[in-house]
Amino acid sequence: MHRRLIVPGAIAASLLLAIPASAADFEPGAPGIGDPYYPASGNGGYDVTHYDLRLKYQPSTDLLEGTATILATPTQNLSRFNLDLGLKALEVRVNGRKAAFRATGTQELEITPAAPLPKNRPVSVVVRYSGKPSEVKIDGWTAWHRTPDGGVAAQQPEAAAWWFPSNDHPLDKATFDVSVSVPDGTQAISNGVLQSQSSRLGWTRYNWRSDKPQATYLATLAVGRFDLTTDTTANGLPVLNAYSKDLGANAGAARASVERTVEVAEWLEEVFGPYPFNALGGYVPNVRSGYALETQTRPFYSPRQFAAGSNVSVVVHELAHQWYGDSVSVEGWKDIWINEGFARYSQWLWSEREGEGTTQELADWVYASHPDDDPFWTVKPGDPGPDNQFHLAVYDRGALALQALRNELGDEDFFRVLKGWPTERAYGNAKVADFVAYVERVSGKRLGGLFDTWLYQPSKPQTPPTPSAPSAAAARTATAVPVSPPKSWSKIAATNTIHDHGDHGDHGDHSDGHGHEDGHGHD
């Protein structure tokens, strides 16, 4: 409800000039951004441009204290608005003045400013808050990992509410400054570039900056004791990789994989165009989970990704997301294929580069591995539904769609598309339909039937994706059922657990019948 202010005449006059609309024109912002997969995710009525997070974290108690300054612009005349936050808010100020607030629902912080907020006029929101992230459960699951020496925030499709207030949906991206104070001897790692660090009275503060638009679930925080490796790329980008000191037997394989980050990124630039962000790296904390996540500029890898030895394929997958998923983000979670199909296909391209199986051989193997009655084919990668958002079919059938597209377009146009899309859509959001329209425009071909077959039909396509004019050798490959997988298959299949988020409680552990568990989260 709008609270009418009683102020001296001159100030009242200026206030009326500042807010020409009547009180009746101001309405609450929606408590969700409008994503049908996750109705409570995000919020309506405003657009965030920047988050400034000033935090203090005590690993021994898991106590997080924070002050978040959020710069935003109302997209309507707002009487009140919501943020997503699972921790306890202690004080809220809007444009410097104390605001009324209350917690509602599972993750909503409902804020009523002292004066209504006119459309298109920038506002500042300061939230002081605290709590123990490991004790926060939202719909039965958590995005916070307790480690022996600290804690980590990394999860999908939501992660922010466990450590800062936000508009927690990829449709509202913003830049970030993250400043974290931790006990001396402990490090705090986040996205982007480490701007500075300083120590005082037993505490060390780390100041990180991510200067390109970033979805809230891609913001990460890792506190613990890490071994760090640092470098600079040929183009001058700072590189920082971090490994928990207690990774045990997985330590060597983790390092042997993640230390190839620069090499992989340079190769991906050849495929997707210039790297879109201001830093590069990865981190492997001592967590019990098995997944990985494309946290922007610095992917998160669970140690279990390397339990069977080094695996560069998972690094390829997460770094491919820096273009497909991070720079160009989904408009809604139904559009997950434009993240995952491309990240999976990048693994196939890496296999082709390494001489361990061509993309066509991998496509033939995937197609042949799933019989007609396999439930795999009932999942529609173009709109899989919230329960199947991270189903294996979104990845593997999603990659089959791209192989079919490559065969239809030919390599010249196909690779022009792979590079042009993240350039044209850089730092924005997109739907599957936007990608289809883009490809049709670039290629001059009508491709609705192809995408419908591979992304939307709940059945196995009658024929595998094969070249339109195959050579005799390719024709034999396409018509014969492969008797063994390409050499790279074991490494690619090992990364299926990147989207196994078994710590989701009610949200996870949906078996797809192939020894794979999938659930919300990812990657």
Side-chain angles (χ1 to χ4, degrees):
M1 179 179 294
H2 169 51
R3 295 183 175 182
R4 189 178 301 276
L5 296 174
I6 301 174
V7 293
I11 301 177
S14 66
L15 182 61
L16 291 172
L17 288 173
I19 309 174
S22 68
D25 294 327
F26 289 83
E27 296 181 346
I33 209 165
D35 192 318
Y37 278 22
Y38 305 105
S41 292
N43 305 285
Y46 62 93
D47 177 67
V48 178
T49 57
H50 184 72
Y51 292 95
D52 183 278
L53 308 178
R54 191 167 181 86
L55 313 174
K56 182 178 184 180
Y57 180 73
Q58 175 54 265
S60 63
T61 62
D62 195 42
L63 179 62
L64 177 70
E65 300 170 278
T67 300
T69 301
I70 301 168
L71 305 182
T73 302
T75 56
Q76 66 177 70
N77 288 330
L78 280 175
S79 59
R80 71 168 189 260
F81 62 95
N82 286 20
L83 293 169
D84 297 302
L85 180 65
L87 299 173
K88 181 178 178 60
L90 305 174
E91 182 184 72
V92 178
R93 289 179 178 266
V94 178
N95 291 335
R97 303 183 63 186
K98 283 189 176 182
F101 61 94
R102 66 185 185 119
T104 65
T106 58
Q107 64 191 51
E108 301 294 328
L109 178 63
E110 185 181 284
I111 299 169
T112 304
L117 306 176
K119 180 180 178 179
N120 296 331
R121 179 164 298 169
V123 301
S124 64
V125 182
V126 177
V127 181
R128 191 167 59 85
Y129 60 100
S130 70
K132 296 183 178 182
S134 62
E135 296 179 357
V136 174
K137 295 288 173 58
I138 297 175
D139 294 331
W141 63 281
T142 181
W144 185 264
H145 308 262
R146 265 311 243 145
T147 62
D149 54 13
V152 176
Q155 187 56 281
Q156 186 181 16
E158 297 170 319
W162 281 262
W163 64 290
F164 67 96
S166 71
N167 194 10
D168 198 6
H169 189 277
L171 198 55
D172 192 0
K173 300 199 284 188
T175 54
F176 280 75
D177 282 314
V178 179
S179 176
V180 190
S181 183
V182 294
D184 287 350
T186 301
Q187 294 119 321
I189 294 168
S190 190
N191 311 80
V193 175
L194 180 63
Q195 301 288 101
S196 63
Q197 72 180 72
S198 58
S199 295
R200 182 173 181 268
L201 300 176
W203 291 79
T204 302
R205 180 167 290 280
Y206 295 82
N207 298 299
W208 295 89
R209 172 165 292 174
S210 198
D211 67 353
K212 293 293 190 291
Q214 177 174 284
T216 47
Y217 85 94
L218 297 173
T220 192
L221 174 65
V223 176
R225 297 177 183 272
F226 296 94
D227 287 330
L228 306 179
T229 64
T230 59
D231 202 352
T232 305
T233 68
N235 294 332
L237 287 181
V239 182
L240 185 144
N241 298 321
Y243 311 90
S244 282
K245 292 178 179 291
D246 51 358
L247 292 179
N250 295 330
R255 287 174 182 258
S257 306
V258 178
E259 288 302 311
R260 295 184 69 181
T261 289
V262 172
E263 174 193 353
V264 170
E266 288 178 350
W267 169 72
L268 285 169
E269 285 192 307
E270 299 173 10
V271 181
F272 296 147
Y275 180 73
F277 301 122
N278 67 343
L280 195 60
Y283 74 98
V284 189
N286 186 9
V287 294
R288 294 191 301 272
S289 65
Y291 63 94
L293 182 67
E294 65 270 20
T295 41
Q296 193 159 306
T297 71
R298 189 154 292 107
F300 158 94
Y301 303 96
S302 297
R304 272 172 33 201
Q305 283 293 312
F306 312 106
S310 64
N311 193 346
V312 180
S313 191
V314 69
V315 177
V316 171
H317 186 108
E318 301 309 333
L319 290 179
H321 274 311
Q322 305 304 304
W323 287 262
Y324 283 84
D326 292 13
S327 178
V328 187
S329 301
V330 296
E331 183 164 310
W333 284 112
K334 67 178 289 186
D335 303 303
I336 190 66
W337 172 74
I338 59 175
N339 292 13
E340 301 306 342
F342 291 81
R344 176 64 100 202
Y345 196 75
S346 71
Q347 295 175 270
W348 292 13
L349 289 170
W350 179 261
S351 168
E352 195 165 80
R353 175 189 186 267
E354 296 291 281
E356 296 185 342
T358 66
T359 59
Q360 186 63 55
E361 290 167 343
L362 286 160
D364 291 339
W365 176 255
V366 169
Y367 183 86
S369 297
H370 298 278
D372 291 1
D373 61 353
D374 191 329
F376 173 91
W377 298 110
T378 66
V379 176
K380 299 178 289 185
D383 186 3
D387 289 340
N388 288 321
Q389 186 183 349
F390 300 104
H391 192 284
L392 185 64
V394 176
Y395 296 68
D396 281 355
R397 186 177 175 182
L400 285 175
L402 289 171
Q403 184 62 28
L405 181 64
R406 180 178 179 179
N407 290 334
E408 176 66 25
L409 297 185
D411 277 9
E412 183 177 350
D413 278 354
F414 178 72
F415 285 103
R416 186 150 59 99
V417 164
L418 288 192
K419 189 173 288 187
W421 170 258
T423 300
E424 181 168 301
R425 291 278 180 162
Y427 313 122
N429 300 77
K431 303 186 295 287
V432 173
D434 295 327
F435 179 79
V436 174
Y438 174 79
V439 179
E440 290 185 331
R441 173 163 58 84
V442 169
S443 68
K445 294 188 174 186
R446 297 180 66 85
L447 298 164
L450 182 150
F451 284 108
D452 182 64
T453 296
W454 291 101
L455 296 183
Y456 294 103
Q457 289 302 314
S459 58
K460 184 174 182 176
Q462 292 183 351
T463 57
T466 55
S468 55
S471 64
R476 286 194 299 273
T477 299
T479 55
V481 176
V483 296
S484 60
K487 183 179 178 182
S488 62
W489 183 251
S490 61
K491 292 289 180 69
I492 293 171
T495 67
N496 287 345
T497 56
I498 54 182
H499 47 111
D500 174 5
H501 286 202
D503 56 345
H504 272 208
D506 294 339
H507 277 247
D509 298 332
H510 304 288
S511 174
D512 68 6
H514 295 278
H516 165 75
E517 299 282 309
D518 71 287
H520 297 332
H522 160 96
D523 163 14

